[in-house]
Amino acid sequence: MPLPFIMAGKIIMTPSKSITIRFPDGTERPFAKDGLLSDLLDQAKPSWKETPVAFKINGALMGLGQRLSDVPLAADSVAVEPVFFSSPEGQEIYRHSSAHIMAQAVKELFPNVKLAIGPPIEDGFYYDFDLGRPFTPEDLEKIEQRMKKIAADHHVFKRKVLSKQDALRFFEEQGETYKLELIRELPEDEIVTVYEQGPFTDLCRGPHVFSTRHVAAFKLLTAAGAYWRGDERNPMLQRIYGTSFPTQEALDAHLKRLEEIKRRDHRRLGKDLDLYNVMDEIGPGLVIWHPKGALIRKLIEDFWREQHLRHGYDFVCSPHIARLDLWKRSGHLDFYRENMYAPMSIDGIDYELKPMNCPFHIMIYKTHLRSYRDLPLRFAELGTVYRYERSGVLHGLLRVRGFTQDDAHLFCRPDQIEQEILKVLDLTVFTLKTFGFDDYEIYVSTRPEKSVGSTEHWERATAALESALKTKDMAYRIDPGEGVFYGPKIDLKIKDVLGRAWQCTTVQVDFNLPERFNLSYIGEDGKEHQPIMIHRALMGSIERFFGVLIEHYAGAFPLWLAPVQVKVLPITDQQHAYAQDVAGALIRAGFRVETDLRNEKVGLKIREAEKAKTPYMVVLGAREVQGQKLSVRKRNGENIGELEIPSFIERINNEVLNKST
């Protein structure tokens, strides 16, 4: 079916057929007003380190297959900025174009398939299809081969603009029910853009690269089920994930990185190392901790408690449920309802599983009349909370329904806000560094659309957060509209050994809850004043932080966190007595030790200990017994050599005390 073409926007023409284009380096050149943007590639190519995938024309993103006249030209010159693959915008455009190529390939191979959506994502892209069955590995191979043919065919991405009615007619003729659903939701006067690439047409805002040939290297990775629009009440679709790069070398490097990520997957390692489990019999997103995982968790929590005592925090504990009225008063029911479980009726009163700890800490504050001399008060709790997450987003330890926040709430005077934030930042940096993280991204999240409180309070709180970061010389970016409903926040994302960013620390300033709960303190003037509340979590949640730790260390935890620190491996039965003596000495010295007395070859024992990521192995044969020494090796295969028991104890004791990572 041929597509009608409607020129979008009113183009203001001047008598001249050319216009001056200005490049970022200050150079200017004449260019045809209706010229293809792909022709710009030859205008300044020698000065570019890489070929642009798109351009910004007066700040508006445009694809190389568009004409300059697709935007209003009200002046005699326009600013032209190349968009490269190395930029986030460039990667999105490149990979979105890749998704369109994949959709065309699937449509050609499976003509009855229905198309859903295909956005770019971090490091790749995906497309959702209604095929009626899962894609097989053989299907992916065929699709990838067809994509290579489509790329080689050099189909130009052509943008066309339709009225809503024309778009509905076209996609109805194609039988694309999911596209029709998306179009029907648009306002009646909305124009609709589609992109053609050869015989294939898709609903899309764009922009795209110039042609399919410009997508040089790609790889389809996996296929999985995905509910339409992420809602389990909707049909189950089939999602194909892929990735693409401008060169085969870059693609190969990325695929190698993906293999490393797979090797570090905390879900696989959690099972292999017997750390934790999530079972359908118990419930999705609800974690049970096995002995070794629970031991590591205890070590994390012990460190957390020790540091909080040193930094002037008081520990509190709160129940797992409370009356629903408490969550109404706090505002969580209005702003957080979709992430809360359904209330339970007890004695005719509605109760709620707690999604947050803060209202409980507020109620503790209210139990006494507070003076300005009492502030700041710092209440800390490892509090387990419960939040409803859709089953489709649950992911090992990183996205769960029940988790323990390393929570704290600080109640302070207005003149203490910045100083308290500075102290929180100091504790954060020390804590994260101890666990091996010293690289992070920092964001200041500002007021969202749905929020409470005065503009004055929001501005004051945001200024306090930014001022503290500047004082600490910590670089940050603004994340517009991503604050919580009651106040702005600092979000700190730690980077693991592979450079991946993980959300952990959050620091939030709150004027709203103290007002909702009528909190007060007696000031120096003898009058009542309202305290300011600071919400903060350093690790975010124990579960998520533990999952990140597993992947950061690939399960090979530092000695101080390892559930088993030393494995004693006698070579024959004749060394059993000495092995038990050695193990006893290490245990008395405070170390976590296992002794392998099985009648197996020592090579097998060593391999299994290495597979279990045990930091140290002590191998004992006849020579070690005779010399009353230890033959020590590390899990990476390094042979330390022979040591006397006291020397070995001193060595590993220093490593534990220094929390070496």
Side-chain angles (χ1 to χ4, degrees):
M1 175 183 176
L3 286 171
F5 182 76
I6 301 173
M7 184 62 68
K10 182 179 180 182
I11 302 176
I12 303 172
M13 300 294 291
T14 60
S16 172
K17 293 183 180 180
S18 67
I19 194 168
T20 300
I21 57 174
R22 304 188 312 274
F23 290 103
D25 62 1
T27 59
E28 295 184 350
R29 290 178 174 83
F31 191 76
K33 287 183 176 180
D34 63 347
L36 276 174
L37 296 185
S38 59
D39 294 339
L40 284 172
L41 295 178
D42 296 326
Q43 293 278 350
K45 192 172 183 180
S47 65
W48 295 332
K49 295 180 180 178
E50 56 180 305
T51 301
V53 298
F55 286 101
K56 283 185 180 179
I57 308 298
N58 286 343
L61 269 175
M62 295 182 67
L64 298 178
Q66 293 181 246
R67 296 188 178 275
L68 186 62
S69 53
D70 283 355
V71 294
L73 303 174
D76 294 330
S77 65
V78 293
V80 175
E81 180 184 349
V83 177
F84 301 111
F85 177 83
S86 55
S87 70
E89 289 170 322
Q91 291 176 18
E92 286 186 6
I93 293 168
Y94 192 90
R95 286 166 176 154
H96 191 38
S97 302
S98 307
H100 276 237
I101 295 173
M102 179 172 70
Q104 180 180 349
V106 172
K107 194 71 176 176
E108 290 180 358
L109 291 169
F110 307 94
N112 294 324
V113 75
K114 295 186 187 303
L115 306 175
I117 58 172
I121 55 176
E122 185 177 3
D123 292 333
F125 58 89
Y126 71 78
Y127 210 111
D128 289 343
F129 304 95
D130 190 346
L131 183 63
R133 67 167 177 82
F135 287 103
T136 66
E138 292 75 22
D139 291 333
L140 296 191
E141 289 181 15
K142 292 177 183 177
I143 295 167
E144 193 172 301
Q145 290 305 313
R146 182 60 64 96
M147 288 175 68
K148 290 179 180 178
K149 179 183 182 302
I150 293 168
D153 285 344
H154 190 29
H155 297 305
V156 175
F157 285 95
K158 297 178 181 178
R159 178 179 181 268
K160 292 195 174 182
V161 181
L162 308 178
S163 68
K164 180 178 178 180
Q165 291 308 313
D166 284 337
L168 286 171
R169 271 193 295 272
F170 174 76
F171 285 103
E172 189 169 7
E173 182 116 341
Q174 302 297 312
E176 296 292 358
T177 54
Y178 298 100
K179 304 294 183 182
L180 290 171
E181 181 178 328
L182 296 172
I183 297 170
R184 289 190 183 108
E185 294 174 355
L186 299 173
E188 285 304 315
D189 59 349
E190 183 89 359
I191 60 171
V192 181
T193 56
V194 298
Y195 275 81
E196 291 180 350
Q197 60 204 65
F200 180 75
T201 301
D202 203 355
L203 177 71
C204 183
R205 289 192 181 94
H208 286 283
V209 297
F210 180 64
S211 87
T212 56
R213 190 172 64 186
H214 283 72
V215 179
F218 47 80
K219 179 69 179 175
L220 300 188
L221 303 172
T222 58
Y227 291 109
W228 169 234
R229 299 184 130 178
D231 190 335
E232 55 264 34
R233 295 168 294 185
N234 288 336
M236 172 67 79
L237 306 179
Q238 299 304 314
R239 176 174 295 177
I240 299 178
Y241 289 95
T243 189
S244 57
F245 287 84
T247 66
Q248 187 63 42
E249 291 79 9
L251 175 62
D252 291 342
H254 179 72
L255 294 177
K256 184 177 180 181
R257 182 173 182 268
L258 290 182
E259 285 299 313
E260 181 63 18
I261 290 172
K262 184 177 179 181
R263 185 179 76 85
R264 292 171 178 268
D265 191 321
H266 75 280
R267 294 166 297 179
R268 180 182 64 81
L269 287 171
K271 181 179 180 180
D272 291 347
L273 301 178
D274 197 22
L275 301 176
Y276 76 94
N277 213 327
V278 178
M279 301 178 177
D280 285 339
E281 295 92 333
I282 295 173
L286 302 174
V287 181
I288 56 171
W289 296 81
H290 295 197
K292 290 180 179 178
L295 177 57
I296 299 173
R297 175 173 173 153
K298 176 189 178 298
L299 295 168
I300 294 170
E301 292 180 353
D302 287 350
F303 171 81
W304 185 90
R305 290 188 177 94
E306 175 187 325
Q307 293 306 316
H308 279 71
L309 284 175
R310 289 183 177 181
H311 286 80
Y313 285 78
D314 294 310
F315 295 141
V316 296
C317 293
S318 58
H320 291 243
I321 64 171
R323 291 190 180 208
L324 188 63
D325 288 344
L326 184 68
W327 311 108
K328 290 179 182 177
R329 187 174 182 184
S330 69
H332 288 99
L333 199 61
D334 292 331
F335 292 90
Y336 214 72
R337 186 190 300 266
E338 67 274 12
N339 291 106
M340 295 172 64
Y341 280 93
M344 63 188 86
S345 180
I346 302 174
D347 297 332
I349 298 172
D350 283 342
Y351 283 76
E352 177 69 39
L353 278 170
K354 67 173 176 177
M356 306 280 187
N357 297 304
C358 37
F360 297 99
H361 297 187
I362 289 171
M363 298 308 291
I364 294 172
Y365 180 95
K366 285 175 67 71
T367 57
H368 295 283
L369 180 66
R370 309 291 181 177
S371 163
Y372 71 95
R373 294 187 181 90
D374 299 327
L375 304 183
L377 287 175
R378 308 181 187 98
F379 295 155
E381 177 182 12
L382 290 167
T384 301
V385 298
Y386 302 89
R387 300 179 188 173
Y388 172 70
E389 300 279 3
R390 294 186 183 278
S391 58
V393 302
L394 297 175
H395 183 80
L397 293 173
L398 304 180
R399 197 78 176 262
V400 293
R401 289 176 173 170
F403 57 93
T404 301
Q405 287 185 303
D406 67 316
D407 227 346
H409 295 93
L410 288 62
F411 302 88
C412 59
R413 305 189 306 264
D415 61 292
Q416 296 172 324
I417 297 177
E418 187 172 335
Q419 190 61 36
E420 287 304 302
I421 295 172
L422 289 171
K423 290 179 179 178
V424 169
L425 292 175
D426 285 340
L427 181 54
T428 297
V429 170
F430 175 75
T431 299
L432 296 178
K433 186 174 182 179
T434 300
F435 287 98
F437 302 105
D438 54 13
D439 188 14
Y440 22 76
E441 298 173 352
I442 303 174
Y443 299 85
V444 173
S445 301
T446 58
R447 188 171 192 166
E449 288 186 14
K450 291 179 64 176
S451 62
V452 294
S454 69
T455 301
E456 178 188 353
H457 282 164
W458 274 88
E459 289 178 350
R460 185 175 180 182
T462 304
L465 294 173
E466 291 193 69
S467 178
L469 289 170
K470 289 174 182 175
T471 299
K472 290 294 179 185
D473 198 24
M474 300 174 78
Y476 66 92
R477 285 179 276 178
I478 298 294
D479 198 359
E482 291 301 315
V484 285
F485 72 88
Y486 49 73
K489 59 175 179 169
I490 293 172
D491 283 325
L492 191 148
K493 298 180 181 181
I494 58 177
K495 288 190 175 182
D496 66 12
V497 70
L498 297 181
R500 297 174 297 172
W502 305 91
Q503 174 64 55
C504 283
T505 303
T506 182
V507 185
Q508 306 163 3
V509 178
D510 184 359
F511 290 85
N512 174 64
L513 286 181
E515 184 176 335
R516 281 178 177 259
F517 284 89
N518 298 319
L519 301 189
S520 65
Y521 66 91
I522 304 301
E524 197 170 0
D525 57 3
K527 298 178 181 179
E528 286 193 358
H529 298 268
Q530 184 177 293
I532 287 86
M533 189 173 174
I534 299 174
H535 308 242
R536 50 110 290 200
L538 306 185
M539 294 179 281
S541 81
I542 298 297
E543 285 75 8
R544 182 176 178 81
F545 191 73
F546 190 79
V548 174
L549 274 178
I550 294 174
E551 300 207 0
H552 183 60
Y553 289 112
F557 296 102
L559 184 65
W560 74 279
L561 283 176
V564 177
Q565 296 170 313
V566 182
K567 202 76 171 272
V568 180
L569 309 175
I571 295 176
T572 69
D573 293 353
Q574 295 179 349
Q575 290 87 48
H576 280 192
Y578 183 53
Q580 290 172 327
D581 289 343
V582 170
L586 294 172
I587 291 170
R588 287 191 296 274
F591 299 105
R592 300 181 289 277
V593 183
E594 285 185 357
T595 306
D596 190 343
L597 300 178
R598 294 177 301 160
N599 185 25
E600 298 286 355
K601 292 182 178 180
V602 72
L604 173 67
K605 294 180 181 181
I606 290 172
R607 285 194 299 275
E608 289 185 352
E610 289 174 344
K611 187 178 179 181
K613 315 287 187 182
T614 307
Y616 286 98
M617 284 148 275
V618 172
V619 181
L620 303 176
R623 186 177 63 184
E624 284 77 21
V625 173
Q626 184 177 0
Q628 292 292 288
K629 292 186 177 181
L630 316 174
S631 180
V632 181
R633 62 182 289 139
K634 301 178 76 171
R635 61 187 161 203
N636 63 2
E638 177 188 351
N639 280 306
I640 294 176
E642 287 191 346
L643 295 174
E644 294 181 345
I645 295 177
S647 297
F648 180 56
I649 288 175
E650 181 181 6
R651 177 192 178 103
I652 60 176
N653 190 54
N654 288 335
E655 194 173 332
V656 169
L657 290 176
N658 293 329
K659 291 184 169 55
S660 301
T661 56

